[in-house]
Amino acid sequence: KMTISLGKRGLDSSEYIELIKIFTLALEKHKDYMNSLNVFPVPDADTGTNMYVSVKGIHDNLKEKSKPYNFDELSKNIADFALLSAQGNSGLLVAQLFRGINSAMQNSELLGLNELVESLNKTYEFAYTSVHEPQEGTMITIMRECAAKAKELINQDLSFVEFFEEITKIAKHSTDETINQMDLLRQANVIDSGAY
């Protein structure tokens, strides 16, 4: 867990690195459960492992680089690492998140609300065009729902943390709904692994 003060306007480059570290640890902890949910596109029980290996690749590359980064340069390097270390469809899709952040961070040193909205929109666009025949009830659905919610919230007077919490709620709700969006998931009685 990472504690960010409520008054904070956004994340700086060192906090972005910290979030990637937390993301890596969370995927490591949940990868076996994610593998057990994996029925789409084929039941090969590797979604959790692929996502973990993909994000750990970014994390490991960052550990090797000791010099301080400006955020723009950092986000570009991370987006590149993400594509290089991506494994499977789920790894490729999660790489689009880092591409989306990079796209929004050009000429900015703080991942604030405007950058977050932009990055979520770009993430969805990149993800949708990165796979053959994108399906509802997958990670792409979650990305779209988060992007739409972010656009809706930007005009409300929310702190960065409050905004992030609202996006998290819609992501969790959308993930729970994936079981109702694809016959394969409904028949197996599971939510989508990548969405989880």
Side-chain angles (χ1 to χ4, degrees):
K1 291 228 172 191
M2 182 175 171
T3 310
I4 300 167
S5 75
L6 266 177
K8 194 146 186 51
R9 288 175 36 249
L11 301 177
D12 63 27
S13 57
S14 62
E15 289 165 325
Y16 183 42
I17 292 171
E18 189 66 17
L19 269 182
I20 291 170
K21 185 174 165 186
I22 291 164
F23 191 17
T24 307
L25 292 170
L27 284 168
E28 183 176 27
K29 181 179 174 185
H30 293 269
K31 68 178 166 36
D32 293 338
Y33 180 64
M34 291 168 71
N35 287 340
S36 76
L37 295 173
N38 182 200
V39 296
F40 177 81
V42 287
D44 50 7
D46 66 355
T47 294
T49 301
N50 284 343
M51 283 179 76
Y52 169 65
V53 168
S54 299
V55 177
K56 188 173 186 311
I58 301 166
H59 179 253
D60 290 349
N61 266 302
L62 285 171
K63 280 199 303 197
E64 290 166 17
K65 311 275 188 266
S66 56
K67 72 180 181 75
Y69 289 100
N70 65 48
F71 208 140
D72 194 356
E73 183 188 8
L74 173 70
S75 66
K76 169 86 172 86
N77 286 336
I78 288 173
D80 291 345
F81 297 155
L83 283 173
L84 286 171
S85 63
Q87 286 205 4
N89 267 357
S90 57
L92 179 65
L93 286 172
V94 90
Q96 306 316 311
L97 170 65
F98 298 105
R99 276 186 71 205
I101 292 170
N102 173 234
S103 176
M105 289 312 297
Q106 287 166 14
N107 309 314
S108 182
E109 287 306 306
L110 195 72
L111 178 58
L113 292 182
N114 290 327
E115 289 83 1
L116 184 56
V117 172
E118 174 74 9
S119 68
L120 290 169
N121 279 303
K122 288 294 186 188
T123 294
Y124 169 63
E125 282 176 31
F126 294 150
Y128 193 85
T129 56
S130 70
V131 292
H132 180 61
E133 294 181 5
Q135 296 276 323
E136 283 303 317
T138 64
M139 209 187 310
I140 293 174
T141 305
I142 312 310
M143 291 169 169
R144 187 190 66 239
E145 295 289 319
C146 288
K149 186 68 174 179
K151 275 190 208 169
E152 186 188 305
L153 291 170
I154 194 67
N155 298 319
Q156 295 180 26
D157 189 26
L158 297 174
S159 72
F160 185 81
V161 172
E162 289 165 336
F163 193 95
F164 209 90
E165 283 172 348
E166 289 301 312
I167 299 296
T168 302
K169 281 183 205 163
I170 197 74
K172 287 179 177 173
H173 174 74
S174 299
T175 298
D176 290 342
E177 284 298 307
T178 59
I179 193 171
N180 301 315
Q181 293 172 321
M182 194 187 300
D183 287 341
L184 199 58
L185 298 175
R186 196 178 297 112
Q187 286 158 13
N189 197 32
V190 294
I191 56 173
D192 180 68
S193 176
Y196 173 88

